């Protein structure tokens, strides 16, 4: 049995602080990317950081980055309390719904930051999960959301409004540009269209495949790449075969470094059902790649008609992508504006400064 005393006693003279990042997933994706960027960019000898999640593919990625990783068997209060007792953090920075709820049920004294990266459909209605998040929100010192849409769409948004802060995802344009300069040989455009994201219901890969069916009628030699893995991969492969698209679409699965394929694309297509922020869109803009995306979540904050287009119908998607791929002047104009838009979104220094300030405020209280 773990006691509160053994887990939470602090040495008042200790200057070094520890932040425990808690994630429910064990693979590399959007939220994981954000946490890794935070850890890499908070260069403070007085702040120690530890990444906690279930064991999985993320381990190799974290080891390559030399990030302190503590695996847990499952995302439940008992396992989390074991880690708390072992690591003795000053703050738990919990990412997304399950990690936030489990953190709240695991300890009663440690301050918790709940960081929501997504606006999942259940948040928009009276649902067990939406009630559960509301109940555990009393334990959160602050709630961070990656776009205003998350608070606007959450059915109990007004109840948590006072402790909620909109903090867009960290954008390190310098890092992305340095990558591009080091890998100039990847700039050859081998693909007309890129799909970058997990093959899940949220990202709507089935709709994407349907769009390619429509586009192929106009551009028979279309070349497409899908970068990502997920529970819908097998079904995607079946649909590609059914629609006779094996010569047009290549599924690469998970790639530790997806940028090499993104750089080889002319257009990024994001037909997502929902998005918290839409980091892939920013990454594409940083590589001067126009983005054609669904008008959901944080994407309207990122994409406009100058650097791409927000679409509702399949026809809008197909018409815009077709024009980008066949009208050189139209493409070059949006390609140039994509780079300009990325410059406007660059925020890494401000992001890290604000986050460190938040940590300090919470610890001092």
């Amino acid at each position: 049995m773990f006691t509160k005393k053994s887990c939470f006693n602090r040495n008042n003279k200790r200057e070094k602080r520890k932040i425990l990042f808690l994630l429910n997933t064990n693979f590399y994706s959007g939220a994981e990317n954000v946490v890794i960027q935070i850890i890499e960019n908070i260069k403070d000898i007085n702040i120690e950081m530890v990444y906690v999640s279930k064991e999985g593919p993320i381990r190799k990625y974290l080891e390559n980055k030399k990030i302190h990783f503590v695996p847990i068997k499952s995302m439940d209060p008992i396992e989390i309390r074991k880690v708390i007792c072992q690591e003795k953090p000053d703050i738990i920075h919990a990412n997304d719904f399950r990690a936030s709820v489990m953190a709240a049920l695991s300890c009663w004294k440690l301050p918790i930051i709940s960081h929501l990266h997504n606006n999942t459909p259940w948040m928009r209605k009276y649902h067990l999960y939406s009630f559960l998040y509301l109940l555990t929100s009393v334990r959160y010192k602050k709630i961070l959301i990656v776009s205003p849409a998350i608070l606007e769409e959450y059915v109990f948004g007004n109840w948590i409004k006072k402790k909620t802060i909109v903090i867009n995802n960290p954008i390190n344009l310098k890092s992305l540009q340095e990558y591009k300069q080091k890998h100039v040989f990847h700039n050859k455009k081998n693909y007309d269209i890129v799909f970058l994201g997990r093959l899940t219901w949220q990202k709507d890969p089935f709709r994407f495949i349907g769009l390619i069916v429509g586009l192929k009628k106009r551009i028979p030699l279309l070349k497409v790449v899908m970068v990502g893995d997920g529970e819908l991969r097998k079904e995607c492969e079946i649909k590609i075969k059914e629609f006779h698209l094996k010569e047009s679409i290549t599924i690469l699965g998970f790639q530790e470094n997806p940028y090499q394929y993104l750089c080889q694309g002319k257009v990024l297509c994001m037909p997502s059902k929902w998005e918290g922020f839409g980091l892939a869109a920013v990454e594409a803009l940083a590589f001067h790649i126009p983005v054609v995306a669904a008008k959901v979540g944080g994407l309207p904050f990122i994409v406009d008609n100058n650097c791409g287009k927000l679409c509702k119908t399949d026809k809008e998607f197909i018409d815009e992508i077709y024009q980008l791929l066949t009208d050189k002047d139209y493409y070059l104009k949006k390609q140039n504006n994509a780079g300009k838009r990325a410059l406007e979104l660059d925020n890494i220094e401000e992001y890290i400064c604000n986050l460190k300030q938040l940590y300090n405020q919470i610890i001092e209280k």
Side-chain angles (χ1 to χ4, degrees):
M1 176 68 70
F2 298 103
T3 64
K4 292 181 181 179
K5 182 176 180 180
S6 65
C7 289
F8 304 112
N9 266 2
R10 317 300 305 164
N11 181 350
N12 292 330
K13 295 181 180 180
R14 194 188 76 173
E15 293 182 359
K16 198 161 190 174
R17 303 299 187 180
K18 181 180 284 191
I19 313 298
L20 188 153
F21 292 92
L22 186 64
L23 296 95
N24 182 50
T25 51
N26 65 355
F27 51 80
Y28 180 81
S29 192
E32 295 73 28
N33 179 28
V34 170
V35 171
I36 289 168
Q37 284 203 61
I38 293 171
I39 294 173
E40 286 187 315
N41 285 280
I42 293 186
K43 298 172 182 177
D44 190 324
I45 59 172
N46 294 317
I47 299 178
E48 184 180 349
M49 290 162 286
V50 56
Y51 187 112
V52 178
S53 76
K54 291 179 285 188
E55 183 65 83
I58 193 66
R59 174 185 282 277
K60 183 180 178 181
Y61 199 91
L62 296 172
E63 286 176 350
N64 290 339
K65 297 281 187 178
K66 297 181 180 179
I67 292 173
H68 181 199
F69 173 52
V70 176
I72 54 177
K73 294 178 181 178
S74 60
M75 185 59 62
D76 63 66
I78 294 175
E79 285 294 308
I80 295 170
R81 282 189 65 81
K82 286 180 183 178
V83 175
I84 290 171
C85 292
Q86 173 186 318
E87 297 295 328
K88 297 181 173 58
D90 295 275
I91 294 175
I92 295 179
H93 188 145
N95 291 267
D96 278 328
F97 166 75
R98 185 174 176 82
S100 298
V101 170
M102 290 298 111
L105 298 176
S106 301
C107 58
W108 297 102
K109 290 188 176 181
L110 271 177
I112 299 169
I113 295 173
S114 173
H115 196 157
L116 299 181
H117 301 266
N118 252 312
N119 52 343
T120 50
W122 56 257
M123 295 187 73
R124 305 169 198 167
K125 56 188 177 182
Y126 297 110
H127 186 279
L128 173 62
Y129 291 165
S130 58
F131 277 111
L132 187 55
Y133 188 80
L134 176 65
L135 291 172
T136 54
S137 68
V138 298
R139 282 284 294 114
Y140 310 143
K141 292 295 182 183
K142 289 294 178 182
I143 297 173
L144 307 183
I145 56 175
V146 297
S147 75
I150 293 178
L151 187 64
E152 292 166 5
E153 294 179 8
Y154 180 40
V155 66
F156 297 116
N158 287 333
W159 294 56
I160 63 170
K161 193 173 183 178
K162 289 185 178 179
K163 59 171 64 179
T164 299
I165 301 172
V166 178
I167 179 168
N168 300 323
N169 279 353
I171 311 301
N172 191 341
L173 191 60
K174 182 181 178 182
S175 175
L176 292 171
Q177 289 174 337
E178 286 175 352
Y179 170 84
K180 189 174 182 179
Q181 289 172 358
K182 289 178 182 177
H183 302 82
V184 179
F185 57 91
H186 282 312
N187 284 348
K188 184 179 178 182
K189 299 298 184 180
N190 294 321
Y191 303 106
D192 296 303
I193 307 168
V194 179
F195 176 97
L196 177 60
R198 282 184 54 76
L199 302 181
T200 62
W201 183 250
Q202 175 195 352
K203 303 296 183 181
D204 209 350
F206 296 160
R207 185 183 190 187
F208 177 78
I209 293 169
L211 295 175
I212 302 307
V213 173
L215 278 162
K216 200 170 186 307
K217 293 176 182 177
R218 300 192 194 182
I219 309 175
L221 298 180
L222 198 68
K223 288 295 180 183
V224 180
V225 64
M226 297 179 74
V227 185
D229 214 334
E231 61 268 21
L232 298 182
R233 178 169 179 171
K234 189 172 182 179
E235 291 179 68
C236 286
E237 290 172 342
I238 292 171
K239 286 185 178 294
I240 288 170
K241 187 176 180 180
E242 285 178 353
F243 289 118
H244 307 289
L245 295 172
K246 291 188 74 175
E247 296 298 319
S248 300
I249 301 178
T250 301
I251 297 185
L252 294 176
F254 170 77
Q255 297 294 316
E256 191 169 307
N257 188 351
Y259 298 143
Q260 60 180 305
Y261 301 102
L262 182 58
C263 285
Q264 294 180 64
K266 296 176 184 176
V267 177
L268 177 70
C269 181
M270 297 181 67
S272 307
K273 291 181 181 294
W274 71 89
E275 285 284 351
F277 183 70
L279 188 59
V282 181
E283 292 167 340
L285 296 176
F287 294 131
H288 295 241
I289 298 170
V291 178
V292 183
K295 192 175 182 179
V296 296
L299 287 171
F301 167 76
I302 300 167
V303 181
D304 57 31
N305 286 334
N306 294 316
C307 61
K309 188 172 182 178
L310 295 169
C311 305
K312 289 184 178 181
T313 68
D314 288 1
K315 186 178 185 304
E316 286 178 324
F317 270 102
I318 292 170
D319 288 346
E320 175 66 14
I321 295 173
Y322 177 77
Q323 188 168 2
L324 284 167
L325 295 178
T326 57
D327 186 333
K328 188 176 180 180
D329 291 337
Y330 186 76
Y331 181 84
L332 288 174
K333 181 180 178 182
K334 293 210 172 187
Q335 184 184 46
N336 185 48
N337 287 332
K340 292 178 181 178
R341 181 65 182 130
L343 281 171
E344 296 170 355
L345 294 168
D346 188 25
N347 69 346
I348 189 66
E349 290 185 9
E350 180 184 5
Y351 184 96
I352 295 300
C353 180
N354 290 340
L355 204 55
K356 285 174 68 175
Q357 189 176 44
L358 177 62
Y359 290 153
N360 288 331
Q361 287 174 354
I362 291 174
I363 289 171
E364 287 170 6
K365 287 182 181 180

